[in-house]
Amino acid sequence: MITIKGIIGLIMSQIDEDNQRAVISLGIGDPTVYSCFTTSHVAEEAVAHALSSAKFNGYAPTQEYLSRDLPYKLTMDDVFVTSGCTNAIDIALCILARPNANILVPRPGFPIYQLCATFRHIEIRQFNLVPTKGWEVDLDSVQALADENTVAIVVINPGNPCGNVYSYQHLLRIAEIAKKLGIVVIADEVYGHLAFGKNPFVPMGTFGSIAPVLTLGSLSKRWLVPGWRLGWLAVTDPTCIFKQPKVMERLKNFFDIYGGPPTFVQAAVPQILEKTDDVFFDKNIYILKQTSESCFEGINKIPCLSCPQKPEGSMAVMVKLNLSILKDINDDIDFCFKLAKEESVVILPGVAVGMKDWLRITFAVEPASLEEAIRRINSFCHRHSCQPDRDI
């Protein structure tokens, strides 16, 4: 089974060690390696204070922060702290698992869902996202895929790997279909609030009165601290369709088994959430908007590559690969392996996220490094072009 870390490791192994140029990775969404993406002083000071206080007594989950944009308030019993968002994904699938169960996941999407589902003996059924419609969910395919054993649909918003942000109306339609099918919505909002296009970020929990929503999130992307491994799972279900006593008791039992992130990180959360000012968030949004536009414009100048959708959120974008005008390139994996070897640039082949002969490019990169990476990709494509004299 393909994992992002696994395939990135294989691609990294192709890099020529004798090449003196610096390696530029556009393959994994961890911007913290660049000096322009650092967490807030508030977050650093909060963790340092919690660690030095020697009072690591834990902290109740972050229900107030998650309630801010919802039409109803979450309680402490609705929110559970996890060891990052991946842990939240695994626990959500554990709770929903039953004999012959299946879940609906987007293609392209995040491969961790398939990995976790395999371990939990849950069948994965993939519905398409439509690139020509802003990577919206193909709602007809969702209804065609669902049956009496379908337990949930996964919605990733803002989108990873597509860089899209869904409108209020589209999310409403998803909730209405979930209600019709009698299933739960798993709302992956790890990139929550990282929106810089025409659509504002709308939490899926807004529609919890229509269909039950399990919201998954973390500090990692918005606060730029992926290594802190602090995430959450929130149950938004004011009509108590999902929140039956036995289900919630089972959920609490899972958290007794899993534990959670370090207590000193948990202890710092109130100060991090309450005191991080908008200047920090605005700066990061500004940089991401600029680098997303540079990526979109630069990639679309290369004839063998095209972005059907300008990124409007998250940290990555999907790029279509036109193999017909390239020579000696067999598929997206071959493209990425040879690019790494020849140009020391690492990008993710689309097959890793369910889209063969596409590429996923992360734009959460220092602007100068992104510009250099695109220049190298351009040179690589020109060298492998069937029409090398064409202005590529």
Side-chain angles (χ1 to χ4, degrees):
M1 185 174 295
I2 294 175
T3 66
I4 290 178
K5 287 184 179 179
I7 200 163
I8 290 294
L10 291 174
I11 293 170
M12 290 290 292
S13 70
Q14 303 298 307
I15 293 174
D16 186 352
E17 294 182 357
D18 294 329
N19 193 327
Q20 298 300 309
R21 289 186 298 182
V23 175
I24 303 175
S25 178
L26 309 181
I28 292 182
D30 181 5
T32 60
V33 297
Y34 298 99
S35 60
C36 63
F37 290 106
T38 57
T39 193
S40 67
H41 293 302
V42 168
E44 293 174 340
E45 291 168 2
V47 170
H49 175 74
L51 184 59
S52 63
S53 71
K55 297 178 181 178
F56 310 145
N57 296 322
Y59 167 67
T62 56
Q63 75 277 1
E64 292 182 5
Y65 168 72
L66 297 174
S67 294
R68 288 177 187 172
D69 301 313
L70 300 181
Y72 21 69
K73 296 295 183 183
L74 299 175
T75 71
M76 290 176 59
D77 292 334
D78 295 328
V79 184
F80 302 86
V81 176
T82 63
S83 297
C85 195
T86 298
N87 183 215
I89 292 171
D90 190 38
I91 291 173
L93 297 191
C94 283
I95 293 301
L96 295 168
R98 68 186 191 201
N100 302 315
N102 67 74
I103 64 169
L104 310 179
V105 301
R107 179 175 54 212
F110 189 46
I112 286 294
Y113 284 95
Q114 186 168 356
L115 187 64
C116 291
T118 298
F119 281 114
R120 304 302 169 192
H121 305 290
I122 299 174
E123 178 190 355
I124 286 286
R125 297 185 180 181
Q126 295 181 311
F127 59 86
N128 293 324
L129 304 182
V130 186
T132 56
K133 294 184 177 180
W135 296 103
E136 286 190 345
V137 174
D138 182 342
L139 299 173
D140 291 335
S141 72
V142 167
Q143 296 186 82
L145 286 168
D147 62 17
E148 68 277 6
N149 292 317
T150 303
V151 295
I153 178 172
V154 174
V155 178
I156 304 176
N157 182 52
N160 175 27
C162 302
N164 56 297
V165 178
Y166 290 138
S167 68
Y168 180 99
Q169 288 300 321
H170 189 61
L171 293 172
L172 173 61
R173 292 181 66 199
I174 293 171
E176 290 171 342
I177 286 179
K179 178 181 180 179
K180 177 182 176 181
L181 297 173
I183 60 177
V184 172
V185 179
I186 298 175
D188 186 326
E189 297 178 357
V190 71
Y191 288 96
H193 298 279
L194 295 183
F196 38 81
K198 64 180 183 297
N199 293 329
F201 168 66
V202 177
M204 192 71 209
T206 301
F207 310 100
S209 60
I210 298 173
V213 177
L214 302 183
T215 297
L216 317 180
S218 78
L219 292 182
S220 65
K221 305 300 183 182
R222 195 181 186 204
W223 273 269
L224 302 173
V225 286
W228 290 10
R229 311 307 301 157
L230 192 138
W232 52 79
L233 184 156
V235 181
T236 309
D237 181 28
T239 57
C240 295
I241 296 172
F242 176 80
K243 284 171 54 177
Q244 300 298 316
K246 287 185 178 180
V247 174
M248 297 306 289
E249 184 64 29
R250 187 180 179 204
L251 189 55
K252 292 174 183 177
N253 289 340
F254 268 110
F255 279 92
D256 286 341
I257 295 171
Y258 278 98
T263 51
F264 66 85
V265 177
Q266 293 187 53
V269 169
Q271 187 172 346
I272 293 172
L273 297 182
E274 294 167 11
K275 296 187 177 181
T276 303
D277 58 34
D278 288 341
V279 172
F280 169 74
F281 298 126
D282 292 345
K283 184 200 83 163
N284 293 331
I285 289 293
Y286 176 80
I287 296 173
L288 287 173
K289 182 176 175 61
Q290 296 302 310
T291 55
S292 70
E293 290 176 350
S294 296
C295 182
F296 178 77
E297 293 168 4
I299 289 298
N300 277 331
K301 290 178 181 177
I302 304 173
C304 65
L305 303 178
S306 60
C307 295
Q309 167 74 18
K310 187 175 182 178
E312 296 187 346
S314 77
M315 297 179 178
V317 65
M318 290 296 290
V319 175
K320 176 64 175 170
L321 177 61
N322 184 357
L323 294 171
S324 68
I325 60 175
L326 295 174
K327 60 184 179 182
D328 304 324
I329 303 292
N330 298 321
D331 54 25
D332 54 319
I333 294 179
D334 193 34
F335 182 96
C336 293
F337 274 47
K338 288 176 178 174
L339 176 66
K341 184 175 181 61
E342 296 177 26
E343 297 288 348
S344 297
V345 173
V346 177
I347 57 179
L348 188 71
V351 70
V353 293
M355 294 281 277
K356 183 176 172 59
D357 296 335
W358 285 68
L359 309 168
R360 188 197 77 168
I361 295 180
T362 298
F363 52 78
V365 179
E366 193 174 52
S369 296
L370 180 61
E371 183 179 338
E372 171 63 13
I374 292 174
R375 188 192 67 76
R376 294 187 199 176
I377 295 170
N378 187 24
S379 297
F380 173 83
C381 291
H382 185 275
R383 196 161 53 249
H384 287 273
S385 174
C386 294
Q387 302 171 310
D389 294 332
R390 182 178 175 182
D391 184 13
I392 198 168

